[in-house]
Amino acid sequence: MKITIYSKDLYTYGAMLVGGILKETHKHNIKLIKDIKNKKLFLKSDIVILSLYSTLNIIDPVIKDTVDYLKSKNIKIYVAGPVSAYPEIILNELNVDGVILGEGELTTPEIINGSKDGLAYFENGEMIVNKPKSKPDLDFSKIYVPKDIAAQNVRGANVYIETHRGCLGHCTFCQVPEFFGRDIRSKPIELIIEEVNELKKNGVNRIAISGGTGSLYNFKNTVNKNKFIEMIESVSNIIGRQNLSVPDMRVDYVDEEVLNAIKNYSIGWVFYGIESGSDKLLNSMKKGTNSKKNLKAIELAKDCGVKVAGSFIVGHPKEKEVDFLMTKDFIVDAELDDVFVSAAEPIPKTELCTEVLNTKMDENPTFISHNGPYRRYGLKENEARAYDLMLHSEMWKSTPRVITTNLSKVYLDEAKMQGSDIRKATELIFKYRDFLI
Ligand code: SF4
């Protein structure tokens, strides 16, 4: 069968994995694309799978238009990817044949053959949601590698690879534990090596390891440092340490050995999800850490010669002015090497989503108009906080940058874009409040 997989804007690992299974194991004719400007590209397909990862993808007018066009040509269309956690929204917003639920590696080939297991769809006006019966072991043999993969740039890497799934955390804003579960399933090291060799053969020279918290690789009751270290050493030996990054790490799952391995076998950066400088807010987000632990992990990384980037969330419905000021103070104390700021996004089916749905719009920083120092820009409160924190971080990084007019504009535009996206996503969840609460 001719199957086109559309992975919006970038070749996600998940789309490459399903593509590999459909091609190698099930002998389908596969095309993986990341651009739908030319809808006619799909016309030779029997089936189209839209692999989507953001709530906004569902209401993207180009995607809606493409779906309507393909339906008019009688082509079967399924949606897959992280958005499949909320099929009720997809099936009402997009005229597709079904939503492939959760991890689709086992179910997609069966669904293509007509099975309904692991599929959500409408039948006689009624929505049927058949949850997948099991979660896959990560023993898939071959990913589908698009020819132009080496030209892809995702935050500096050509590709993000997956070494394990699941997370032990309970962070209320995060989809990972609900989607993948809290048991850690890890890919055998031999398969990771095989995959990295395959990517290298196809021109990839910069790889990042994704998957929540890197050091949870092979976690079984406790962190298995040796396996994690063996894994990144093996990948580094193939691709070169200057071409490997191991971005995400939880502050409570690093120690000197783990950090030294990151220093020795990768570009030498860790990326901690700090989120806030307020312990009250960290508790409310169920982050499982506090400012003291966060600062300690930052210091430990610096002592090991590892650079530290931290990410922060602003505009959480429970974030008060005092919490935001504590975050600014934390950034001063932490002297991070890099900082990423995001406005809180209520991903459907997360606890944060329920919290946002239970917060009146005029009490949610996403919708409150900002009346402080940036009011001339017409910002919402979450946008003003994001903008302010971006500027503030620049001044308190380990190597501060001069805030030029240009840089200030870049941050203002970024804050406005995030604010606009999150308003759209929040309006969408309110539309489907009855399904989500
Ligand atoms: S630690 Fe990271 S991956 Fe795990 S639940 Fe929290 S944010 Fe998500």
Side-chain angles (χ1 to χ4, degrees), residues 72-307:
S72 72
K73 303 286 175 197
N74 288 323
I75 294 171
K76 252 199 162 131
I77 321 166
Y78 296 109
V79 169
V83 297
S84 69
Y86 28 98
E88 304 86 353
I89 300 182
I90 300 169
L91 289 171
N92 281 294
E93 291 291 323
L94 293 173
N95 184 19
V96 293
D97 293 278
V99 178
I100 300 172
L101 300 169
E103 302 171 54
E105 291 87 1
L106 299 179
T107 50
T108 306
E110 304 302 325
I111 287 168
I112 281 165
N113 286 335
S115 161
K116 300 271 163 97
D117 286 341
L119 191 70
Y121 55 98
F122 271 123
E123 193 171 76
N124 303 324
E126 194 194 334
M127 191 182 302
I128 314 282
V129 179
N130 294 328
K131 294 214 166 127
K133 294 197 178 84
S134 58
K135 290 193 181 296
D137 295 328
L138 306 188
D139 54 359
F140 317 110
S141 54
K142 241 184 169 171
I143 51 172
Y144 178 94
V145 185
K147 287 198 174 54
D148 58 346
I149 186 81
Q152 172 160 284
N153 185 339
V154 192
R155 291 183 292 277
N158 299 129
V159 63
Y160 271 64
I161 62 164
E162 177 186 69
T163 58
H164 61 282
R165 286 182 189 171
C167 182
L168 307 166
H170 292 79
C171 308
T172 57
F173 52 85
C174 178
Q175 195 188 12
V176 169
E178 183 62 30
F179 195 82
F180 291 120
R182 287 205 167 77
D183 291 334
I184 309 297
R185 285 163 293 143
S186 301
K187 196 163 181 118
I189 208 156
E190 308 74 43
L191 288 183
I192 296 174
I193 292 171
E194 204 179 293
E195 219 164 79
V196 172
N197 275 318
E198 180 72 14
L199 288 165
K200 190 178 176 195
K201 207 172 81 193
N202 282 276
V204 164
N205 53 31
R206 208 57 207 273
I207 286 181
I209 289 176
S210 68
T213 285
S215 58
L216 287 180
Y217 179 66
N218 254 287
F219 181 98
K220 288 193 182 71
N221 303 320
T222 176
V223 169
N224 193 337
K225 282 186 276 193
N226 295 341
K227 279 280 176 199
F228 169 72
I229 293 168
E230 185 190 340
M231 183 269 290
I232 61 167
E233 183 182 5
S234 310
V235 176
S236 181
N237 285 341
I238 301 167
I239 202 85
R241 63 181 281 261
Q242 72 286 5
N243 297 316
L244 174 66
S245 52
V246 189
D248 299 335
M249 219 43 91
R250 258 188 82 101
V251 298
D252 41 359
Y253 291 112
V254 291
D255 64 9
E256 273 181 44
E257 263 183 277
V258 165
L259 289 162
N260 281 329
I262 288 171
K263 183 176 168 221
N264 294 332
Y265 303 123
S266 79
I267 57 170
W269 278 79
V270 277
F271 188 107
Y272 291 143
I274 308 286
E275 327 307 359
S276 173
S278 156
D279 287 348
K280 201 173 120 225
L281 207 56
L282 288 173
N283 270 340
S284 171
M285 293 178 186
K286 298 191 182 162
K287 188 69 199 178
T289 59
N290 56 40
S291 300
K292 206 168 150 197
K293 283 187 197 166
N294 286 336
L295 276 176
K296 207 168 151 206
I298 292 166
E299 272 163 32
L300 186 65
K302 288 182 182 177
D303 289 347
C304 293
V306 171
K307 298 262 191 195

Side-chain angles (χ1 to χ4, degrees), residues 2-22:
K2 288 182 189 150
I3 302 170
T4 301
I5 303 173
Y6 165 61
S7 179
K8 186 175 162 43
D9 298 333
L10 65 137
Y11 299 124
T12 59
Y13 181 85
M16 289 163 65
L17 197 52
V18 170
I21 291 165
L22 292 175

Side-chain angles (χ1 to χ4, degrees), residues 309-326:
S311 65
F312 294 85
I313 293 175
V314 294
H316 184 280
K318 288 217 169 85
E319 185 186 59
K320 304 282 175 235
E321 184 68 22
V322 62
D323 301 306
F324 180 63
L325 293 175
M326 287 169 108

